[in-house]
Amino acid sequence: MCGIIGISAKADVSNDIMTCLKSLSYRGYDSAGMAMVGDGQISERKIKGKVSNLEDYIKNNPISGNCGIGHTRWATHGEPNTINAHPHTISKISIVHNGIIENYHELKTTLKDNGVNFISDTDTEIISQLINIELMNNKQPLDAFIHAISKLEGAYAIAAIFSDYNNLMIASKVGSPLVFMKSKNKTIISSDAYSIAEFGNNITYLEDGDIITSQNNKIHIFDRALNKIKRPSKRISKRTKDGLNGHEHFMMKEIKEQPDVLSYALSNYLDFTEFDIKENKFDFDFSNVERIIISACGTAYFAGMVAKYWLENIANIKVDLEIASEFRYKKMFFDEKSISLFISQSGETADTLAALKYAKQNKQRVISIVNAEESSISNESDLVLPIFAGQEIGVASTKAFTCQLATIASLVLYLGGLKGAITKEQKETYIQELMHIPSQILQSLEFEQTIKKISKDIYKSSSALFIGRGSTLPLAFEGALKLKEISYIHAEGIASGELKHGAIALVDKNLPVIVLAPDDLFYVKNLSNMNEVYARSGKITMIGKVDNEHLKGLAINGIDIDITGKFNIPIIMAVPLQLLAYHVAKLKNKDIDQPRNLAKSVTVE
Ligand code: F6R
């Protein structure tokens, strides 16, 4: 995951930037760099590989200055190489950036048509180029910065320095995290509170749309409407130092990390410049594959259910899906035209590993989708597709689930193209839709306050039902699992159409029923099922395409997730379910990160 640092101070800041880059490196990265202002010019050092490579490089080619920026890059647009590494310096401006600029293609095309030459393949360079154009039009740095970022769509945290202003740093954020710390002698901004915790005790979190300027250690903060404002600072708690980054629980931290980690997961497999698949990531002979056998446990199994839905409906490939603890003892129908796919966050789950070994004993070729790349399941696999969620500490899986789905979506697109089930144009459209996932996740995170209120209607219940169809049926199971594992409320996921075959007997005025009804081909069917629940006085919370009519009539609560896109729907709709489970558990005062009886890595049968 990219990390950004900016420091402006009364003395040389190069060593401090290096210290912060080292602290940021736990996030994972493939190149690093820094830029400093001194004597009316910007000097930049960047290199592919580890921060230690950068440190050696700078030892031999020192730079210094009282104002500088630093970056650890995890490649999204463009290969991990030195040219694409940050900072991106154009003439009198240098910037570092974390996030994805979604309208990068349009902006780049327009700039190119106007004669701008690009040096790198990154989306970030667009920002440097835009600011540079404004500076060349004699705008002051802050104006130039504001003008440039007003053209950006997507999620980002940016920090900029200017060669003509040897102590000026400007930064802003939308979606991606950004904090700052001010002491007597320096101002530090960072995408990660943890990375600067050793420099002081007080930290301020910026909000979306905020712009901060720091010059000669005087700071100003502006909100989205450019009003001068103050943001409250917090004492850095032991939790921040421990990596909680200001959150009360790892589960919430991990839920909130999803825009970031999903953009990395997706851009590992998809090329958002050409709207194509990075085929080299799928180095495996799929030519004779006619059937895929998928196996996993728990949340990973529900990701497998979504995989089955997508592989069959989009890539036209037959899928058999088995819970790993059943798979390992079952007669499985392996043949030379089938391969086995195992999904596991930890890569160590005993049942999944045993199922994998059973498949291998039967001469199956094996693919795995894992978070822990150094794990038993990875080691045993012929092809490993990492999900890049970063370490997941909360026992209830959140970001790993959505990153599993993002990785599966990429595999489905690759196979769909290979098997001729989707055209080049369809593939491009799907990739364009997937590019919006990080910002759509951000929008769904904005429902947190509404979800907190909804939690009050649920936390006293002894039971809850989640219903869905198509790609949201696995989410009904996942939503129920999340709720039961951390709040200890009994919950069940059920196919909306199955209600009338039994479970509807449970419905009364005390039963919360969470209806997953996105804008897909099952919408009207889901509404009919919702009516069935309403007729029996069930307490409906509707998540999906919710309009006032539904709220006035059928549902007591609604979360309007206004998205389409076969891949986007289940990924985005997972977020309100995670938030709901979290807030219900919080109201019940449960141990959210370490629920009773559960372990993060289930290495026993
Ligand atoms: C639920 C959860 C578990 C895991 C399951 C498989 O929130 O985390 O259901 O999904 O134990 O674990 P992995 O993915 O490590 O194989």
Side-chain angles (χ1 to χ4, degrees), residues 296-301 343-349 352 377 392 394-398 404 478 481-482 485 599-602:
C297 302
T299 289
Y301 175 79
I343 307 170
S344 173
Q345 187 284 127
S346 62
E348 299 295 348
T349 301
T352 312
I377 290 178
E392 193 180 61
V395 163
S397 189
T398 52
Q404 281 162 353
E478 171 61 5
L481 178 65
K482 286 285 93 86
E485 69 183 322
K600 187 67 190 160
S601 182
V602 188

Side-chain angles (χ1 to χ4, degrees), residues 160-178:
I161 53 173
F162 302 82
S163 62
D164 289 346
Y165 300 81
N166 69 7
N167 218 263
L168 173 66
M169 177 170 74
I170 305 181
S172 180
K173 69 150 251 159
V174 173
S176 304
L178 195 63

Side-chain angles (χ1 to χ4, degrees), residues 329-348:
Y329 296 115
K330 255 184 104 160
K331 161 128 189 71
M332 295 298 300
F333 292 88
F334 301 116
D335 61 54
E336 67 282 2
K337 292 196 172 156
S338 65
I339 55 168
S340 292
L341 166 63
F342 298 92
I343 307 170
S344 173
Q345 187 284 127
S346 62
E348 299 295 348

Side-chain angles (χ1 to χ4, degrees), residues 379-493:
N379 292 344
E380 295 276 348
S381 303
D382 300 305
L383 173 70
V384 179
L385 300 175
I387 63 167
F388 301 106
Q391 192 184 15
E392 193 180 61
I393 293 172
V395 163
S397 189
T398 52
K399 61 177 182 168
F401 177 66
T402 48
C403 286
Q404 281 162 353
L405 295 187
T407 306
I408 292 163
S410 309
L411 173 69
V412 171
L413 283 178
Y414 174 67
L415 292 176
L418 196 74
K419 303 279 173 196
I422 51 174
T423 63
K424 190 169 175 298
E425 290 70 34
Q426 285 171 319
K427 191 163 67 180
E428 280 177 15
T429 307
Y430 281 128
I431 295 175
Q432 285 179 19
E433 285 173 352
L434 283 164
M435 192 176 71
H436 296 297
I437 292 256
S439 56
Q440 289 172 342
I441 296 260
L442 275 174
Q443 285 158 15
S444 60
L445 287 169
E446 281 173 13
F447 286 107
E448 187 175 357
Q449 292 312 318
T450 315
I451 292 170
K452 257 187 184 172
K453 287 194 199 116
I454 298 175
S455 306
K456 291 189 183 145
D457 289 329
I458 295 181
Y459 84 107
K460 288 191 178 145
S461 310
S462 55
S463 193
L465 277 189
F466 291 71
I467 64 171
R469 284 170 182 259
S471 70
T472 63
L473 173 58
L475 286 197
F477 293 127
E478 171 61 5
L481 178 65
K482 286 285 93 86
L483 187 69
K484 65 187 146 195
E485 69 183 322
I486 60 170
S487 75
Y488 317 149
I489 292 176
H490 169 256
E492 231 183 284

Side-chain angles (χ1 to χ4, degrees), residues 58-216:
I58 289 178
K59 264 187 202 139
N60 297 325
N61 305 274
I63 46 172
S64 61
N66 294 1
C67 184
I69 48 180
H71 194 261
T72 49
R73 175 173 189 250
W74 202 100
T76 58
H77 292 61
E79 291 300 308
N81 59 30
T82 300
I83 291 177
N84 290 332
H86 299 210
H88 286 279
T89 307
I90 304 289
S91 186
K92 297 180 168 196
I93 157 86
S94 185
I95 72 150
V96 285
H97 160 225
N98 173 29
I100 284 193
I101 306 303
E102 288 178 9
N103 58 341
Y104 140 87
H105 226 264
E106 298 91 286
L107 290 171
K108 188 164 183 173
T109 311
T110 315
L111 289 177
K112 273 182 156 176
D113 290 349
N114 288 318
V116 174
N117 289 322
F118 281 81
I119 302 159
S120 72
D121 300 322
T122 62
D123 53 342
T124 304
E125 192 188 335
I126 296 279
I127 312 169
S128 311
Q129 295 283 10
L130 286 171
I131 300 176
N132 181 45
I133 291 168
E134 301 291 345
L135 290 173
M136 287 195 313
N137 288 335
N138 294 323
K139 286 230 165 65
Q140 290 300 302
L142 181 58
D143 263 5
F145 185 91
I146 292 169
H147 249 82
I149 64 169
S150 70
K151 300 196 167 81
L152 307 178
E153 287 169 19
Y156 54 78
I158 305 164
I161 53 173
F162 302 82
S163 62
D164 289 346
Y165 300 81
N166 69 7
N167 218 263
L168 173 66
M169 177 170 74
I170 305 181
S172 180
K173 69 150 251 159
V174 173
S176 304
L178 195 63
V179 298
F180 77 89
M181 178 187 278
K182 187 177 169 327
S183 67
K184 221 165 79 194
N185 298 321
K186 60 180 94 149
T187 305
I188 310 180
I189 57 126
S190 173
S191 40
D192 189 322
Y194 173 64
S195 72
I196 57 176
E198 69 178 86
F199 288 93
N201 293 322
N202 284 305
I203 207 142
T204 305
Y205 283 82
L206 291 171
E207 294 194 5
D208 282 352
D210 285 358
I211 296 171
I212 178 170
T213 66
S214 166
Q215 192 167 21
N216 301 324

